[in-house]
Amino acid sequence: MILDSLLPSASTYAADINQLFDVITLLVGIPFLVASFLFFSFIFRFKAKGGQKAMYITGTEHQYMKWIHRAHVPILVFDVIIVVMAVNVWYRVKQDLPEASSTVRVIAQQWAWSFVHPGPDNVLDTADDITTVNELHVAANTLYHYKLESLDVLHNFSVPVFRLKQDAIPGRIITGWFEPTMTGTFDIQCAEICGIGHGLMPAKIVIESSEQHAAWVEQNSPFAVAALAAN
Amino acid sequence: MAESIRVEHAAHHDDHHGHHEMSFLEKYVFPLDHKMIAMQYMFTGMFMALIGGFFAYAFRWQIAFPGTEAPFWGQVSPADYNSLVTNHGSIMIFWVAMPVLIAAFGNYLIPLMIGADDMVFPKLNRLSYQIFLLSALIILASFFVEGGAFGGAWTAYPPLSTKAEYSLTPLGSTMWITAVALEFVAFLLGGINFITTAMNSRAPGMKMWDIPMVVWMIVIASILFMLSVGPLLAGGIMMLFDQNLGTAFFDPDRGGDPILWQHLFWFFGHPEVYVVLLPAVGIVAEIITVFARKKLFGYKTVLYTAIGTGVLSFTVWAHHQFIAGIDPRMANVFTVTTLLISVPIAEMMFVYIATLYGGSITLSTPMLWALSFIFEFLIGGITGIFLGASGNDIYMHDTYFVLAHFHYTFYPIAIIGTYAGFTFWFPKMFGRMMNDKLGKLHFWLTIIPFNTIFLPLFVLGAAGHHRRIFDYRNFPELSYPWMWDLQALATYSLIVMLLAQVIFFYNVITSWISGPVAPKNPWNSNTLEWTATSPPPHGNWPEGLPTVYRGPYEYSHPDRKSSDYWPQNEPA
């Protein structure tokens, strides 16, 4: 509700994160409003009036302490709800790795992104791979694995419309997944400071329908490009 | 036990304090008096805050109005921008919050509030400030060396921070980590002093539960600091070696691990939040009890929640690293521990609000600051839940939402807490009363812009704005006109807030010179510092140290007919 009014939701798990955000807003909003109401009403109600002495309360009396104890019940219940929902979303996005129909390699460096697409044979690390700079092409409604690498410092592969973020670490290959649900062109950002060009490495994710994507792969495969050059 | 230590201490006191006239150098430059050392820390911290605030102005200008010249700075280059962001954060935490809240208030208040003539180790105390000053000079000097100041964020993640070919600041990186390490050494020395003094030098009659809350809080904070800083100090030295001696602790090419640094950093970094939070919470306890004329609601409850929060704070560090490439199963554990912190912190907030119940509240300037601390910190607390929930953090991590969240915790701590304490104890520190009208004007012109800086940033963060981005025009999704309006609102608010600080300094200077002379106890407060003259002389109570008969918060006691307060040192 809140997040999708601010930006599009373009992955299968974006809706889960949107919902989690709304639930947290509600569950922290209620205690916040109650506490602020009490806070301000006490300030106005107990303003100093001439000659009137304040009450003497030590804070150990049962009649007062019970309110503090009671307030913990909803807080604990809310905490449990938030933890359960958060862990579920986390499990789906980060711990689980569903079967993919295609895999892309994402390589971050100071200060650009390279994307390796598997090409017409749909297998990475073969001669027909398509490498692009600062532009990732994917098909909608297709489940992708990404293999994230960094050549130098930490970077972070962030696609806000997917609600996805993952640090890239030199020396490691980190595997994750996403499944786009709509077509369009969206921002990819680096979300981990990576030197003076950190704010200057924007990239695009181009989500196409599967036909358009197949056509793009066909046109851009190294063989097609070579054939075009030979003519 | 306590008695014998006091006698020894008093004897020791005579030979080092003496009664000879002190030279200017002895009194102001190399003092042993805890109050003068506190003032050195206080004013160094305030000076650094002005620099940190100016940095914020320069990079906020670039964010809101990219490509235009920032008045008094000029064109902000990407390298400038990163250095400014990095050093704004480093300075505000290590050279403002720490020296002012722990060192300045700790030094000033602990001996005065427990009825001691000075710190137990005055020379360590002096050394602590000198090392701190050196560290501050190093961080400032790093702006003037070749390559400029370090620009890899205050978290200094390697390999960016360890390899000059990546950071392009060969000297700046080394100076940054050296300054931070020295600052830690200074606070280790200070912490030993605070803990020892509070445990051993209390006035006769002052039992554990008669210690004012702010003293407890500074002691707990010092213990947290000492337990958490070791790993990071070691990490800092490893980083220094990686930068300069060719070791490979954090270098993945040669078998090191950059994530190791993150663990060392955040194992300290999260408790550090509570290290600075607790003194501010203590200051607020002193102020709301005085101006509500109320006993603190549940003295032991506050103490236990502080200890509980402190202990829990050692178990949550990896919530800063959910998406940093740690084992994803770890995130589940750290989500649970992080959300658990909401229990003691909520209890603490409830207890403070409950203290107001049935009070007789006067909204003086210090009280306004103290109350605003509670409210603003509440916002900081609840927004933390969004980020502690791992599933949501996948999206929110490193956005402006995070930035706004921690400014809603650190700003109440470092700025509001400091102003609350400073305006409250000003009469004691300088022997003059501050102008209350100017004080309130300064309060409103600080607190309103503070909210209009950071509330818009929550919205921008939720809309996907990442931190530390030099120029948002490169990202079409972050360049809608309404976003630029919010960015401009935040920057203009910051400028208003910074200008409002002129009122504060004007008020301090004019009140110090010509304010009404302060009596011993202008707020009708119970604690011991108000029984010394304003300002207290060297040795605090030359006529003899006070004796304690009761707890610090006996306001409006039914057995006390003559007045609504009952000083700790007054025999029954």
Side-chain angles (χ1 to χ4, degrees):
Chain A
M1 209 169 79
I2 299 170
L3 290 184
D4 50 4
S5 71
L6 293 169
L7 75 170
S9 308
S11 73
T12 47
Y13 45 65
D16 299 340
I17 292 175
N18 293 347
Q19 187 196 26
L20 178 59
F21 186 91
D22 291 340
V23 171
I24 298 174
T25 308
L26 183 73
L27 294 187
V28 303
I30 294 169
F32 173 70
L33 290 178
V34 172
S36 326
F37 171 76
L38 291 175
F39 175 72
F40 285 109
S41 63
F42 288 174
I43 294 173
F44 289 113
R45 196 171 139 201
F46 298 108
K47 266 200 156 170
K49 297 170 199 82
Q52 201 175 327
K53 230 176 171 181
M55 291 158 78
Y56 185 78
I57 300 169
T58 62
T60 49
E61 304 90 340
H62 175 69
Q63 85 216 66
Y64 297 113
M65 262 325 267
K66 70 181 178 196
W67 291 104
I68 306 276
H69 295 320
R70 279 177 192 168
H72 277 305
V73 176
I75 287 191
L76 270 174
V77 171
F78 291 171
D79 274 355
V80 170
I81 297 173
I82 293 170
V83 166
V84 169
M85 286 190 67
V87 167
N88 269 323
V89 172
W90 175 266
Y91 181 85
R92 179 163 184 220
V93 180
K94 291 285 184 184
Q95 244 173 287
D96 195 27
L97 194 65
E99 203 64 33
S101 29
S102 190
T103 303
V104 290
R105 193 182 298 285
V106 178
I107 303 163
Q109 68 188 92
Q110 284 184 329
W111 292 284
W113 298 92
S114 316
F115 301 102
V116 184
H117 308 73
D121 66 354
N122 202 22
V123 181
L124 264 186
D125 301 320
T126 52
D128 67 345
D129 286 357
I130 304 168
T131 303
T132 55
V133 175
N134 291 341
E135 202 172 280
L136 171 62
H137 283 257
V138 292
N141 305 314
T142 308
L143 204 151
Y144 283 88
H145 282 181
Y146 60 82
K147 297 210 171 284
L148 182 59
E149 299 172 25
S150 166
L151 300 182
D152 37 46
V153 299
L154 301 183
H155 298 272
N156 185 306
F157 177 59
S158 168
V159 188
V161 291
F162 287 177
R163 314 287 187 270
L164 172 65
K165 223 168 249 157
Q166 178 60 53
D167 271 12
I169 303 162
R172 292 194 201 180
I173 299 171
I174 295 173
T175 307
W177 70 280
F178 57 80
E179 183 179 349
T181 54
M182 61 188 279
T183 58
T185 301
F186 303 102
D187 285 351
I188 293 173
Q189 307 173 7
C190 178
E192 186 64 66
I193 193 163
C194 58
I196 61 169
H198 169 59
L200 309 166
M201 52 186 287
K204 293 274 163 223
I205 183 162
V206 181
I207 311 172
E208 300 145 322
S209 67
S210 34
E211 300 80 43
Q212 282 172 323
H213 185 68
W216 180 84
V217 170
E218 213 49 59
Q219 279 163 23
N220 289 277
S221 83
F223 306 124
V225 173
L228 204 66
N231 291 338
Chain B
M1 180 69 195
E3 204 58 32
S4 69
I5 285 172
R6 289 189 64 76
V7 172
E8 252 172 61
H9 184 60
H12 173 61
H13 158 238
D14 277 340
D15 53 65
H16 82 78
H17 287 158
H19 286 290
H20 65 285
E21 263 318 294
M22 286 184 295
S23 69
F24 178 84
L25 277 180
E26 273 179 296
K27 195 166 177 197
Y28 297 106
V29 185
F30 304 108
L32 289 168
D33 182 5
H34 70 99
K35 298 182 290 295
M36 191 53 69
I37 294 171
M39 287 303 121
Q40 290 183 325
Y41 267 119
M42 178 77 78
F43 287 110
T44 313
M46 284 185 175
F47 174 73
M48 294 300 278
L50 290 177
I51 292 177
F54 179 70
F55 285 1
Y57 150 77
F59 68 71
R60 278 280 349 153
W61 185 278
Q62 163 63 24
I63 292 170
F65 316 111
T68 62
E69 283 199 5
F72 306 105
W73 180 276
Q75 193 70 50
V76 179
S77 71
D80 284 353
Y81 179 83
N82 283 3
S83 302
L84 289 169
V85 170
T86 301
N87 287 284
H88 166 75
S90 311
I91 285 175
M92 287 302 193
I93 290 173
F94 296 128
W95 285 278
V96 178
M98 295 283 289
V100 172
L101 284 163
I102 305 258
F105 285 114
N107 266 312
Y108 196 85
L109 297 176
I110 290 177
L112 277 167
M113 291 183 102
I114 64 171
D117 52 2
D118 207 320
M119 285 287 183
V120 171
F121 307 119
K123 285 181 182 161
L124 269 190
N125 212 12
R126 182 176 64 184
L127 183 63
S128 156
Y129 175 74
Q130 289 165 346
I131 294 175
F132 169 76
L133 183 65
L134 179 66
S135 74
L137 293 175
I138 292 174
I139 195 83
L140 293 179
S142 75
F143 274 83
F144 302 98
V145 297
E146 202 178 326
F150 177 55
W154 82 284
T155 51
Y157 285 179
L160 182 62
S161 53
T162 47
K163 293 196 178 177
E165 68 261 39
Y166 296 147
S167 65
L168 307 179
T169 53
L171 292 169
S173 311
T174 297
M175 289 172 85
W176 183 88
I177 191 68
T178 308
V180 170
L182 282 175
E183 200 259 10
F184 292 159
V185 172
F187 284 98
L188 280 170
L189 296 175
I192 294 167
N193 227 337
F194 298 151
I195 298 167
T196 318
T197 306
M199 291 300 121
N200 291 322
S201 294
R202 295 198 305 278
M206 184 178 268
K207 300 185 206 64
M208 280 296 202
W209 313 128
D210 299 332
I211 301 175
M213 197 48 73
V214 67
V215 175
W216 264 125
M217 292 294 179
I218 292 171
V219 168
I220 297 170
S222 300
I223 295 172
L224 291 181
F225 179 79
M226 297 179 105
L227 292 178
S228 63
V229 78
L232 183 55
L233 201 49
I237 289 164
M238 286 151 80
M239 179 171 279
L240 211 52
F241 283 6
D242 266 17
Q243 286 171 348
N244 299 301
L245 300 180
T247 56
F249 293 109
F250 306 124
D251 182 358
D253 295 344
R254 292 185 289 146
D257 184 359
I259 305 291
L260 172 62
W261 165 263
Q262 298 183 15
H263 287 293
L264 298 174
F265 184 87
W266 289 115
F267 183 78
F268 162 81
H270 202 86
E272 165 72 7
V273 178
Y274 298 93
V275 169
V276 289
L277 166 68
L278 295 181
V281 161
I283 288 168
V284 169
E286 304 303 327
I287 295 171
I288 60 173
T289 49
V290 167
F291 290 104
R293 315 308 294 163
K294 273 287 303 284
K295 194 176 167 77
L296 186 64
F297 187 97
Y299 176 96
K300 288 187 189 174
T301 313
V302 175
L303 198 53
Y304 294 151
T305 55
I307 294 170
T309 317
V311 170
L312 271 177
S313 74
F314 284 98
T315 66
V316 302
W317 78 91
H319 68 214
H320 298 269
Q321 301 166 253
F322 282 153
I323 54 140
I326 58 168
D327 188 324
R329 289 168 296 186
M330 297 254 282
N332 302 327
V333 180
F334 283 94
T335 295
V336 173
T337 52
T338 302
L339 288 224
L340 266 184
I341 282 209
S342 68
V343 175
I345 282 283
E347 172 121 4
M348 191 186 271
M349 291 289 117
F350 292 157
V351 163
Y352 276 37
I353 294 172
T355 301
L356 300 174
Y357 179 83
S360 175
I361 296 171
T362 314
L363 294 177
S364 61
T365 307
M367 184 63 161
L368 286 175
W369 286 114
L371 292 174
S372 70
F373 172 90
I374 297 173
F375 181 70
E376 306 291 4
F377 189 77
L378 203 57
I379 299 178
I382 60 150
T383 49
I385 306 273
F386 288 86
L387 305 166
S390 52
N392 196 50
D393 188 63
I394 301 169
Y395 175 59
M396 306 308 272
H397 181 85
D398 254 338
T399 59
Y400 270 10
F401 197 95
V402 177
L403 185 142
H405 154 69
F406 73 71
H407 278 89
Y408 262 98
T409 59
F410 267 112
Y411 191 95
I413 293 169
I415 309 297
I416 297 180
T418 299
Y419 281 139
F422 191 83
T423 50
F424 183 63
W425 279 290
F426 185 90
K428 186 55 58 186
M429 290 170 173
F430 303 103
R432 302 269 183 175
M433 301 302 288
M434 278 182 101
N435 184 323
D436 202 51
K437 276 210 177 81
L438 283 178
K440 282 180 178 156
L441 182 69
H442 169 239
F443 168 79
W444 289 111
L445 284 178
T446 303
I447 210 76
I448 295 171
F450 159 64
N451 286 285
T452 53
I453 294 168
F454 293 108
L455 288 175
L457 299 191
F458 280 120
V459 181
L460 289 172
H465 275 235
H466 286 137
R467 299 164 64 187
R468 300 164 179 157
I469 298 289
F470 167 67
D471 189 344
Y472 288 97
R473 289 177 301 179
N474 296 317
F475 299 95
E477 283 168 27
L478 303 180
S479 287
Y480 297 116
W482 67 269
M483 292 174 171
W484 290 111
D485 292 345
L486 289 185
Q487 294 282 22
L489 171 63
T491 299
Y492 285 132
S493 303
L494 173 67
I495 293 169
V496 171
M497 190 181 85
L498 288 175
L499 290 177
Q501 306 318 304
V502 174
I503 303 171
F504 170 75
F505 287 103
Y506 173 81
N507 193 358
V508 167
I509 292 164
T510 52
S511 304
W512 193 347
I513 295 168
S514 61
V517 174
K520 268 188 178 180
N521 190 359
W523 315 120
N524 294 337
S525 174
N526 285 346
T527 40
L528 294 178
E529 78 274 25
W530 302 104
T531 65
T533 48
S534 302
H538 196 182
N540 297 339
W541 289 276
E543 70 282 3
L545 299 175
T547 304
V548 170
Y549 296 93
R550 65 186 59 75
Y553 303 116
E554 298 303 321
Y555 294 101
S556 311
H557 196 285
D559 296 347
R560 171 90 166 172
K561 305 290 181 221
S562 54
S563 67
D564 66 352
Y565 67 112
W566 208 346
Q568 283 191 281
N569 68 330
E570 208 173 285

